[in-house]
């Protein structure tokens, strides 16, 4: 999957946070977004996942503008987990990884879902935390 960010800008009221951000991420690349508190890292991630709508610019996945991808399909392509969710979030590691399967599941968790989660946990070397 190719992620392409074309000049996105975002402000909270009159306070600009993102100004003309451009970036292209190719398949297989690992990218880190670093900066001090309040520099716009979380705002950028929220714009990439459609939680926030950039005031300028566009975000594309494989050449498709994310605003034109329906919510369920977009959820199959990307997800967002905030860095802080408070005390109400008491899921295990296995349950948290299983949330990534939600767009592909019906009402219940199937064997295939548990298999995929096990593969991810093994790949990330997190089985002991599951």
């Amino acid at each position: 999957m190719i992620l392409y960010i074309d000049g996105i800008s975002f402000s909270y009221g009159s306070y600009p946070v993102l100004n003309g951000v451009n970036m292209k991420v190719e398949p297989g690349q690992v990218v880190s977004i670093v900066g001090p508190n309040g520099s716009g890292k979380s705002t950028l991630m929220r714009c990439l996942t459609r939680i926030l709508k950039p005031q300028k610019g566009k975000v594309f996945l494989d050449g498709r503008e994310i605003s034109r991808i329906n919510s369920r399909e977009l959820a199959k392509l990307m997800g967002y987990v905030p860095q802080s969710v408070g005390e109400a979030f008491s899921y295990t590691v296995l349950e948290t990884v299983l949330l990534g399967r939600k767009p592909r599941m019906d009402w219940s968790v199937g064997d295939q879902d548990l298999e995929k989660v096990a593969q991810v946990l093994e790949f990330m070397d997190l089985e002991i935390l599951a």
Side-chain angles (χ1 to χ4, degrees):
M1 174 171 26
I2 297 172
L3 172 67
Y4 178 62
I5 302 167
D6 184 24
I8 64 170
S9 296
F10 187 87
S11 298
Y12 291 104
S14 63
Y15 183 74
V17 179
L18 304 174
N19 186 14
V21 176
N22 295 295
M23 182 169 62
K24 186 174 185 180
V25 181
E26 301 279 351
Q29 282 186 307
V30 176
V31 176
S32 296
I33 300 170
V34 296
N37 290 347
S39 63
K41 301 178 302 290
S42 294
T43 299
L44 176 62
M45 295 307 297
R46 290 181 187 120
C47 286
L48 298 182
T49 55
R50 256 186 17 205
I51 294 168
L52 294 175
K53 183 180 177 184
Q55 281 118 3
K56 291 183 183 175
K58 296 182 179 182
V59 179
F60 298 88
L61 281 176
D62 286 337
R64 295 171 56 198
E65 189 179 341
I66 65 164
S67 66
R68 299 179 187 269
I69 301 173
N70 75 50
S71 296
R72 187 173 177 103
E73 186 179 352
L74 187 62
K76 290 179 182 179
L77 298 171
M78 66 168 57
Y80 174 78
V81 179
Q83 77 181 38
S84 176
V85 291
E87 296 296 321
F89 189 84
S90 61
Y91 295 162
T92 66
V93 170
L94 184 136
E95 291 167 333
T96 302
V97 175
L98 190 57
L99 286 173
R101 295 288 304 162
K102 179 68 179 108
R104 293 171 174 79
M105 293 173 18
D106 292 321
W107 286 99
S108 62
V109 177
D111 291 339
Q112 183 180 8
D113 301 308
L114 293 174
E115 235 175 78
K116 291 285 186 186
V117 168
Q119 289 171 0
V120 168
L121 291 170
E122 181 180 352
F123 178 77
M124 302 296 292
D125 197 23
L126 293 173
E127 302 100 326
I128 195 165
L129 300 175

